[in-house]
């Protein structure tokens, strides 16, 4: 499994970054969609879909960011991902789209910052 992750780490970077940005777009657009199109409100992206998107992105993120941490020794991306996870847990108790939006934005920033650090380390190797 470790060799598979190392061999496909660039793919995991892209998938994780894409999922977190899709989640951010979804979370930021959802209040407008709910107001503008109330007939879609009950069936358009349920809570289960939100948690699945965030959960998959968090799992991929922890694998990729932890692997990259060993190369660049910068804890900030993991800290941002941890903050994102805490916000998701808070969202479970306080259902608020602002909280989950902050979570997905924090996750996207963690991925993006880690990707920049990863590129710097790979280009200097």
């Amino acid at each position: 499994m470790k060799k598979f992750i190392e061999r496909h780490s660039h793919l995991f970077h892209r998938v994780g970054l894409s999922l977190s940005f899709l989640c951010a777009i979804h979370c930021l657009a959802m209040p407008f969609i709910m107001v503008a199109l109330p007939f879609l409100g009950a069936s358009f992206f349920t809570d289960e879909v939100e948690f699945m998107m965030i959960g998959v992105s968090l799992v991929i993120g922890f694998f990729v960011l932890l692997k990259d941490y060993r190369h660049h020794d910068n804890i900030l991306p993991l800290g941002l991902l941890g903050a994102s996870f805490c916000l998701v847990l808070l969202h479970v108790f306080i259902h608020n789209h602002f909280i989950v939006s902050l979570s997905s934005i924090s996750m996207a920033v963690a991925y993006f910052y880690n990707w920049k650090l990863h590129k710097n380390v790979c280009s200097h190797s």
Side-chain angles (χ1 to χ4, degrees):
M1 182 69 168
K2 183 179 175 183
K3 287 183 181 183
F4 177 80
I5 292 172
E6 288 177 5
R7 203 172 324 132
H8 299 293
S9 69
H10 292 288
L11 176 65
F12 285 126
H13 281 280
R14 288 185 182 125
V15 169
L17 189 60
S18 299
L19 283 174
S20 63
F21 277 115
L22 282 173
C23 184
I25 290 167
H26 158 72
C27 292
L28 292 172
M30 195 61 180
F32 298 107
I33 291 170
M34 297 269 298
V35 168
L37 305 169
F39 62 94
L40 289 177
S43 63
F44 189 75
F45 282 130
T46 62
D47 287 340
E48 290 81 18
V49 173
E50 285 183 23
F51 286 122
M52 185 182 69
M53 286 172 55
I54 292 171
V56 168
S57 192
L58 281 170
V59 168
I60 290 171
F62 279 118
F63 278 120
V64 172
L65 272 60
L66 191 60
K67 182 189 93 47
D68 285 349
Y69 170 73
R70 295 180 183 128
H71 295 287
H72 56 63
D73 292 326
N74 192 327
I75 196 79
L76 185 60
L78 281 171
L80 286 169
L81 194 62
S84 177
F85 181 70
C86 291
L87 287 168
V88 168
L89 290 178
L90 181 63
H91 175 69
V92 170
F93 300 108
I94 304 171
H95 189 76
N96 185 326
H97 279 286
F98 179 72
I99 293 171
V100 81
S101 297
L102 283 178
S103 172
S104 59
I105 289 168
S106 171
M107 192 182 311
V109 169
Y111 276 118
F112 184 73
Y113 187 64
N114 185 70
W115 176 67
K116 299 226 12 134
L117 291 171
H118 180 81
K119 273 182 43 178
N120 288 341
V121 169
C122 285
S123 68
H124 290 109
S125 297

